[in-house]
Amino acid sequence: MKITVKITGIDHVGIAVPDLDAAIAFHTGVLGGRLAHREENHDQGVVEAMIAYDGGAQVQLLAPLTPESAIGKFIDRSGPGLQQLAYRVPDAAEATAAVLAAGLRVLYAEPRRGTAGSKINFIHPKDTGGVLVELVEPAAATQATAAHGGPDGVASTRSAVSGETMTA
Ligand code: V0V
């Protein structure tokens, strides 16, 4: 039987930014988003902020902690802008296995820690038509809320491991 990645939705779109506070000010002040979560992730070399919009859309602002990090290299090569498309999956380990079974490159053998206690992995952009695809298994509390379909429940119930989750 053919194994496929079970995508349940778009979790977020990631934007590489050189200055996180300036980007938060634009996305909240001009675009009307809400700062739902902010976290430093040293494994990924980023400080990130999740911006949530009414209706459930989420944008992740990603600023580099070092020039050698993935986001530092991206900004150096391509400038600030869209860096990743993150799909939500129920099980990141299962999704990783499905990608490998399709003969594509995942970046990590096992999922790693992402925003707010999520588990994440990535498919190499050269194997997806030029888009860095992230696979996100949200933390359990978020997963349950998403299944019950609250309009902005995804962002407001994120449970932070080493970050700060804001509620409206
Ligand atoms: C690089 N390339 C991209 C790309 N980054 N294409 C589309 N979108 C991107 N974001 C292209 C680049 O232009 C080159 O194309 C080619 O890939 C280079 O591939 P490479 O030499 O294998 O690799 P690098 O050194 O450029 O690194 C790219 C990868 C790296 C994707 C391997 O950025 C990485 O490990 N990313 C995963 C981790 C990550 O992005 N963390 C930050 C977000 P040409 O010139 O050869 O045609 S952390 C996060 O999302 C969190 C915490 C969360 O969601 O919770």
Side-chain angles (χ1 to χ4, degrees), residues 12 44 60 73 77 83-84 107 115 124 126 130 134:
H12 62 265
Q44 292 294 331
Q60 187 179 42
K73 283 205 274 186
R77 181 177 353 195
Q83 189 256 353
Q84 57 170 259
L107 297 187
T115 186
H124 196 284
K126 291 293 172 194
E134 181 180 340

Side-chain angles (χ1 to χ4, degrees), residues 41-45 92-93 96 107-115 117-122 134-137:
N41 184 326
H42 290 273
D43 181 40
Q44 292 294 331
T96 297
L107 297 187
Y108 312 131
E110 304 282 343
R112 294 191 184 172
R113 187 176 62 76
T115 186
S118 60
K119 293 179 190 165
I120 61 173
N121 208 340
F122 296 85
E134 181 180 340
L135 302 166
V136 186
E137 175 187 340

Side-chain angles (χ1 to χ4, degrees), residues 83-152:
Q83 189 256 353
Q84 57 170 259
L85 172 60
Y87 289 112
R88 194 175 305 140
V89 297
D91 185 325
E94 196 180 281
T96 297
V99 173
L100 288 170
L104 309 185
R105 285 170 288 173
V106 285
L107 297 187
Y108 312 131
E110 304 282 343
R112 294 191 184 172
R113 187 176 62 76
T115 186
S118 60
K119 293 179 190 165
I120 61 173
N121 208 340
F122 296 85
I123 312 177
H124 196 284
K126 291 293 172 194
D127 292 355
T128 63
V131 177
L132 176 60
V133 169
E134 181 180 340
L135 302 166
V136 186
E137 175 187 340
T142 310
Q143 195 86 266
T145 307
H148 291 97
D152 70 347

Side-chain angles (χ1 to χ4, degrees), residues 3 20 22 35 38 57 66 89 92 99 109 112-113 138 166 168:
I3 311 167
L20 189 64
L35 177 60
R38 183 181 175 132
T66 65
V89 297
V99 173
R112 294 191 184 172
R113 187 176 62 76
M166 292 82 171

